[in-house]
Amino acid sequence: MNKNYITLGEFIISNQQDFKYSSGELSKLINSIRLAAKIVNHEVNKAGLVDIVGAAGETNIQGEDQQKLDVYANDVFKSALIKREIVCGITSEEEDDFITVEGKYNAHDNKYVVLIDPLDGSSNIDVNVSVGTIFSIYRRTTPQGMPVKKEDFLQKGSEQVAAGYIVFGTSTMLVYTTGNGVNGFTLNPAIGSFYLSHPNMTFPERGSIFSINQGNYAHFPKGVKDYIKYCQEEKEDRPYAYRYIGSMVSDFHRNMIKGGIYIYPTNSKAPKGKLRLLYECNPMAFLTEQAGGKATDGYTRILDIQPTELHERAPIFCGSLKMVEKAEAFMQKYKEN
Ligand code: AHG
Ligand code: MN
Ligand code: MN
């Protein structure tokens, strides 16, 4: 069939047999995310029209202002997953602690937990710039039939079963992997269906875009400062173009298509960086590797980091393989032992 005529729903069904002993639970779960994505899309698209823009007057556990759409997206994804009793647990950037899903049909029997950044790039909402949603799915490690425990969420990123993002951009796309490559689906808003528009997405091995918040330059580690200088140098295929939206999902999406590196390093004011290991770094690292790229914290593969806290942060360098390797070489040079 012509790829342009495959909907996300059809794609999910036709790929279900890729999973050994699949009971269809993961397919139903991804379908729930698909539905929530459409609902959030509807709200994001009219953000400028209704009184939904602006701070909700609450702060989340990390002390950040929650925007109304943060709260809305969090509620939509939570209720899509809880009401359908399709997962046994959820943890979200916007929640203080993990949520145990209980229900009429004993949701404790479900196999999967979902970790989510419901609205990524929320400071961009008020200015009509692309935002996103990031999700990550693991098989629980504690026995089925019991309430989930924190350890079900504190798994290494290498244990992810699926991960993806929705980018609410000039068009809305859902991009995800179940460990078998990365596929992108574009929403046709007139029909309300996602169509396979970007099969087998891969990072070009080398790119010519670097993305990092250079406003923090003075506080960056020496390796990062030198890598930035390298990107700006007039030599070989450089200088690279500098692009930074401030929504990780959008920066990542552009770099995957065009070739580039995204960096959110440590800085002297944020010794572990800013991005959250569970909700941002791990899912994006899984997608990166599935798309042939590389994701590290400067020294270690992101997917090999053992998390210890739900909301912990990690520095990240991800994108085109050769670019990340080069950045790592600069980091290695100044590594303190
Ligand atoms: P969130 O909106 O979920 O809190 O995430 C914002 C993140 C990420 O999307 C973005 O790349 C980064 O913060 C931007 O941070 P700076 O403003 O420090 O560059
Ligand atoms: Mn985010
Ligand atoms: Mn967020």
Side-chain angles (χ1 to χ4, degrees), residues 135-137 160-165 175-179 282-284 286-287:
F135 61 91
S136 167
I137 302 172
Q160 285 172 101
V161 172
Y165 59 79
V175 175
Y176 81 106
T177 182
T178 50
N282 272 336
M284 292 317 221
F286 187 26
L287 287 159

Side-chain angles (χ1 to χ4, degrees), residues 60 62 64-65 67 70 93-94 117-125 131-132 134 212-216 244-251 262-264 267 274-276 279-280 313:
N60 65 15
Q62 293 148 87
E64 297 154 329
D65 284 341
Q67 301 290 314
D70 279 332
E93 184 187 278
E94 300 301 334
D117 175 357
L119 206 86
D120 174 69
S122 47
S123 65
N124 277 326
I125 298 163
V131 293
I134 310 173
I212 177 170
N213 185 347
Q214 293 195 63
N216 296 325
Y244 190 75
I245 295 168
S247 291
M248 185 197 200
V249 167
S250 313
D251 281 308
Y262 176 89
I263 306 175
Y264 208 107
N267 67 64
K274 175 185 182 188
L275 300 181
R276 296 77 173 176
Y279 316 113
E280 289 161 325
R313 297 170 194 264

Side-chain angles (χ1 to χ4, degrees), residues 97-122:
D97 205 351
F98 67 85
I99 298 165
T100 305
V101 180
E102 310 184 50
K104 254 202 332 225
Y105 309 106
N106 196 8
H108 297 329
D109 285 341
N110 291 330
K111 287 199 285 284
Y112 298 107
V113 292
V114 169
L115 291 64
I116 191 159
D117 175 357
L119 206 86
D120 174 69
S122 47

Side-chain angles (χ1 to χ4, degrees), residues 15 23 26 52 109 125 137 253 268 306:
N15 286 279
S23 59
L26 183 62
I52 199 158
D109 285 341
I125 298 163
I137 302 172
H253 185 72
S268 49
Q306 175 61 59

Side-chain angles (χ1 to χ4, degrees), residues 17-260:
Q17 66 271 22
D18 288 352
F19 301 102
K20 261 197 250 163
Y21 320 117
S22 166
S23 59
E25 208 173 311
L26 183 62
S27 300
K28 284 190 206 140
L29 171 45
I30 295 171
N31 270 321
S32 302
I33 291 173
R34 173 181 69 145
L35 175 65
K38 289 186 207 175
I39 299 170
V40 172
N41 175 67
H42 181 67
E43 212 60 30
V44 166
N45 280 178
K46 58 182 190 182
L49 292 172
V50 290
D51 180 30
I52 199 158
V53 180
E58 301 280 339
T59 51
N60 65 15
I61 192 170
Q62 293 148 87
E64 297 154 329
D65 284 341
Q66 278 183 312
Q67 301 290 314
K68 278 186 185 172
L69 265 176
D70 279 332
V71 179
Y72 179 82
N74 191 43
D75 288 347
V76 169
F77 278 96
K78 255 174 30 189
S79 68
L81 299 169
I82 294 173
K83 287 194 184 138
R84 295 178 148 215
E85 292 183 32
I86 198 67
V87 291
C88 50
I90 304 167
T91 182
S92 158
E93 184 187 278
E94 300 301 334
E95 301 284 334
D96 296 356
D97 205 351
F98 67 85
I99 298 165
T100 305
V101 180
E102 310 184 50
K104 254 202 332 225
Y105 309 106
N106 196 8
H108 297 329
D109 285 341
N110 291 330
K111 287 199 285 284
Y112 298 107
V113 292
V114 169
L115 291 64
I116 191 159
D117 175 357
L119 206 86
D120 174 69
S122 47
S123 65
N124 277 326
I125 298 163
D126 287 355
V127 291
N128 206 359
V129 170
S130 299
V131 293
T133 295
I134 310 173
F135 61 91
S136 167
I137 302 172
Y138 293 79
R139 203 169 281 116
R140 66 184 300 172
T141 54
T142 55
Q144 277 173 260
M146 310 282 287
V148 277
K149 293 191 175 147
K150 200 171 173 180
E151 66 204 67
D152 290 314
F153 301 96
L154 297 180
Q155 299 186 53
K156 285 186 185 170
S158 55
E159 298 301 316
Q160 285 172 101
V161 172
Y165 59 79
I166 298 122
V167 56
F168 305 101
T170 39
S171 53
T172 294
M173 279 189 71
L174 192 152
V175 175
Y176 81 106
T177 182
T178 50
N180 223 339
V182 177
N183 290 286
F185 300 81
T186 303
L187 182 67
N188 179 336
I191 296 168
S193 291
F194 283 100
Y195 287 89
L196 178 60
S197 51
H198 295 63
N200 293 318
M201 297 177 84
T202 51
F203 273 96
E205 196 178 46
R206 290 169 202 281
S208 56
I209 296 172
F210 71 109
S211 313
I212 177 170
N213 185 347
Q214 293 195 63
N216 296 325
Y217 185 87
H219 305 283
F220 285 155
K222 180 89 172 88
V224 172
K225 284 182 175 168
D226 282 9
Y227 180 67
I228 292 174
K229 286 268 174 299
Y230 167 87
C231 292
Q232 294 169 337
E233 220 171 28
E234 192 91 47
K235 221 173 184 177
E236 297 155 354
D237 60 342
R238 290 163 282 141
Y240 297 147
Y242 172 65
R243 298 283 182 271
Y244 190 75
I245 295 168
S247 291
M248 185 197 200
V249 167
S250 313
D251 281 308
F252 180 96
H253 185 72
R254 180 204 53 240
N255 289 357
M256 180 159 61
I257 291 173
K258 297 201 164 183

